[in-house]
Amino acid sequence: MFLDLVRIKVAAGRGGDGAVSFRREKYVPRGGPDGGDGGRGGDVLLVVREDLSTLSAYRFEKNFRAGDGVRGGPAGRTGADGRDCVLAVPPGTVVREAETGTVLADLVEPGSTIVVARGGRGGRGNARFATPTRKAPRFAERGEPGEARVLELELRLLADVGLVGLPNAGKSSLLARVSAARPKVAAYPFTTLTPVLGVVEMEETAFVLADLPGLIAGAHAGAGLGLEFLRHVERTRVLIQVIDAAATDGVNPEDAFVQIDEELRLYRTELAEKPRLIALNKMDLPAAKQAAPAVAEKLRTKGFEVFCVSTATGEGLAPLLRRTAALLLTLPRPAPLPGVISPEQIPMPLSIEKEGEVWVIKGGGIERRLAMTDLGNEEALRYWQGWLARKGILDALREAGIRPGDTVRIGETEWTWED
Ligand SMILES: Nc1nc2c(ncn2[C@@H]2O[C@H](COP(=O)(O)OP(=O)(O)OP(=O)(O)O)[C@@H](O)[C@H]2O)c(=O)[nH]1
Ligand SMILES: [Mg+2]
């Protein structure tokens, strides 16, 4: 199976809890608060690695967690930070948030990195809550939960030119002949199961050529390797359609042309309209020599540039490559996907809504804030209420008409409103 679309779950580490502790010194009966902060939770990052060409690393393993931060210690000691979880992806990986479809990144450059789930902050130790009026706070903040989300990773090849054609047309043979890439070549259909990229070095320039799995009728609707493969063609700028002019598999060259042309059109009209050169292949075979002139003529009247080649002897390949390179120079580079935003920018405004009898407060990070509060601790609770007041949330609830005895819910936590 060829993997170019996977779903994974990523969870950043939780921040370590802050510590509650008081200084103990000889002959000092009651020392001040000295509980240290918790460590930061680890982030989950994606990094682009040039040597990868598939997402197959995510075939079986789908859950990734970064390490949690360690709890703060006495004597002001800060807990250790959690371990980051670094996931390697191939160049051309598009990252989406699965739930919303929001594109978080279009990862192209090797080495580029993005944080897809941010680790939680460490909770502050009780030393931080000391004030002139609260000299001995007996509470600390809990660590912030790490972000968690489901991601969709999609690999889109970053090739300038794509080779399309029926199985056995000679696409892999062509790539092997003109680049240092070594795709598998064999006399049976669907030899190529995953795209293979090769760099074609020309005198003045170079371009990336992608050998793609063979297409068959119905590919646009999923037949053969169908859709998985057509997706890759979208970002190439030029197509080379390879046709077995010797009809080795019994499909005459004109039919071969039409079948692929149809599939491209049915998948997306723009694909069929992309600049396309035709390579009539296997010209070393007598059957091809015989059929080629008439086929070439027909395709030329349709407006195509046709090249007669043999990947076996190398005949005709140089003009094809020269023309391809020249064509690329006239075409703009593909733009990165529009609307890329970073994970921190996923909007999540604070809202207060009444769901039935319950007042639900959501967004603005309030769920995380609450999770940092040790609800079993009286002082921590008071601190939390102070925070709600400072943020204007209590006033907003009053304005919205909340009454004593009503239920308020944040995340999983509910409580009864008393003014
Ligand atoms: N005689 C001759 N045989 C060729 C030529 N090009 C390819 N072949 C043969 O055709 C068969 C298929 O070649 P591949 O390069 O694997 O074809 P493909 O288009 O990559 O096929 P799939 O990966 O299955 O889609 C192999 O047996 C090749 O040796 C050629 O120019 N002349
Ligand atoms: Mg092949």
Side-chain angles (χ1 to χ4, degrees):
M1 184 178 60
F2 173 52
L3 273 177
D4 65 350
L5 187 63
V6 295
R7 250 175 197 239
I8 59 169
K9 266 194 197 162
V10 294
R14 194 190 164 92
D17 294 344
V20 176
S21 158
F22 295 91
R23 252 194 305 279
R24 282 156 184 269
E25 286 166 45
K26 265 185 186 163
Y27 315 118
V28 179
R30 261 181 40 205
D34 72 349
D37 301 344
R40 263 188 61 84
D43 296 332
V44 181
L45 307 111
L46 300 184
V47 57
V48 180
R49 240 176 55 195
E50 199 163 18
D51 58 325
L52 293 180
S53 57
T54 69
L55 290 167
S56 55
Y58 305 103
R59 180 160 174 191
F60 298 114
E61 208 183 332
K62 309 231 176 245
N63 291 302
F64 299 91
R65 278 198 66 94
D68 292 338
V70 173
R71 192 186 174 81
R77 269 206 309 282
T78 301
D81 292 345
R83 216 175 4 87
D84 288 341
C85 168
V86 181
L87 305 175
V89 296
T93 301
V94 176
V95 186
R96 281 195 205 81
E97 191 185 37
E99 201 182 316
T100 57
T102 313
V103 177
L104 301 181
D106 184 6
L107 297 170
V108 176
E109 291 302 320
S112 57
T113 300
I114 79 156
V115 175
V116 287
R118 209 160 278 283
R121 276 178 294 133
R124 287 171 290 173
N126 70 335
R128 306 267 204 151
F129 294 94
T131 61
T133 53
R134 186 174 53 208
K135 291 216 166 70
R138 302 194 155 273
F139 72 99
E141 209 170 27
R142 300 178 61 196
E144 185 187 30
E147 286 181 335
R149 49 172 61 94
V150 179
L151 299 179
E152 210 169 71
L153 306 180
E154 184 190 328
L155 176 60
R156 300 203 184 198
L157 286 187
L158 297 169
D160 302 302
V161 183
L163 292 168
V164 296
L166 293 175
N168 281 336
K171 302 177 291 299
S172 300
S173 309
L174 200 159
L175 181 74
R177 184 91 199 187
V178 303
S179 77
R182 287 293 160 261
K184 188 170 170 194
V185 169
Y188 52 82
F190 299 117
T191 305
T192 304
L193 296 176
T194 63
V196 181
L197 301 186
V199 178
V200 181
E201 307 267 4
M202 311 283 287
E203 259 165 43
E204 301 271 286
T205 141
F207 60 85
V208 178
L209 181 61
D211 173 29
L212 297 162
L215 267 181
I216 55 171
H220 74 280
L225 296 167
L227 293 175
E228 277 123 69
F229 134 72
L230 277 167
R231 227 195 318 261
H232 293 304
V233 184
E234 290 195 83
R235 286 219 278 191
T236 61
R237 292 184 288 154
V238 171
L239 299 180
I240 296 179
Q241 181 174 352
V242 183
I243 296 173
D244 177 352
T248 321
D249 283 353
V251 183
N252 81 55
E254 267 173 64
D255 288 349
F257 168 81
V258 171
Q259 279 186 31
I260 299 298
D261 188 55
E262 282 280 283
E263 287 313 313
L264 294 176
R265 204 171 298 284
L266 288 170
Y267 180 70
R268 256 167 53 115
T269 333
E270 297 92 272
L271 272 193
E273 263 126 48
K274 220 181 250 286
R276 186 178 356 150
L277 303 175
I278 310 284
L280 293 179
N281 188 29
K282 310 199 184 179
M283 290 304 290
D284 55 293
L285 300 177
K289 278 207 188 76
Q290 209 171 17
V295 180
E297 192 47 41
K298 275 212 174 139
L299 294 176
R300 284 188 182 118
T301 58
K302 284 188 205 268
F304 288 99
E305 293 177 57
V306 182
F307 297 81
C308 292
V309 307
S310 163
T311 69
T313 64
E315 159 194 355
L317 291 174
L320 172 65
L321 298 182
R322 271 202 300 277
R323 181 63 191 127
T324 307
L327 201 51
L328 282 171
L329 286 179
T330 68
L331 300 168
R333 297 215 143 262
L337 291 181
V340 175
I341 68 165
S342 65
E344 309 94 87
Q345 290 173 293
I346 297 175
M348 201 175 54
L350 186 93
S351 71
I352 297 177
E353 272 164 45
K354 203 158 181 201
E355 287 179 14
E357 292 302 295
V358 182
W359 297 86
V360 181
I361 313 177
K362 277 198 266 228
I366 195 166
E367 293 93 345
R368 296 151 67 78
R369 188 73 227 181
L370 175 61
M372 293 176 80
T373 303
D374 178 0
L375 295 173
N377 182 308
E378 191 76 19
E379 279 184 60
L381 212 54
R382 237 177 289 130
Y383 187 81
W384 157 249
Q385 278 162 353
W387 186 82
L388 288 175
R390 281 199 300 282
K391 293 277 159 187
I393 294 167
L394 299 184
D395 283 343
L397 281 166
R398 285 189 196 104
E399 240 163 69
I402 195 165
R403 279 198 306 261
D406 284 1
T407 303
V408 181
R409 184 196 302 150
I410 297 173
E412 316 259 278
T413 310
E414 289 192 351
W415 75 91
T416 306
W417 175 265
E418 306 160 18
D419 225 335

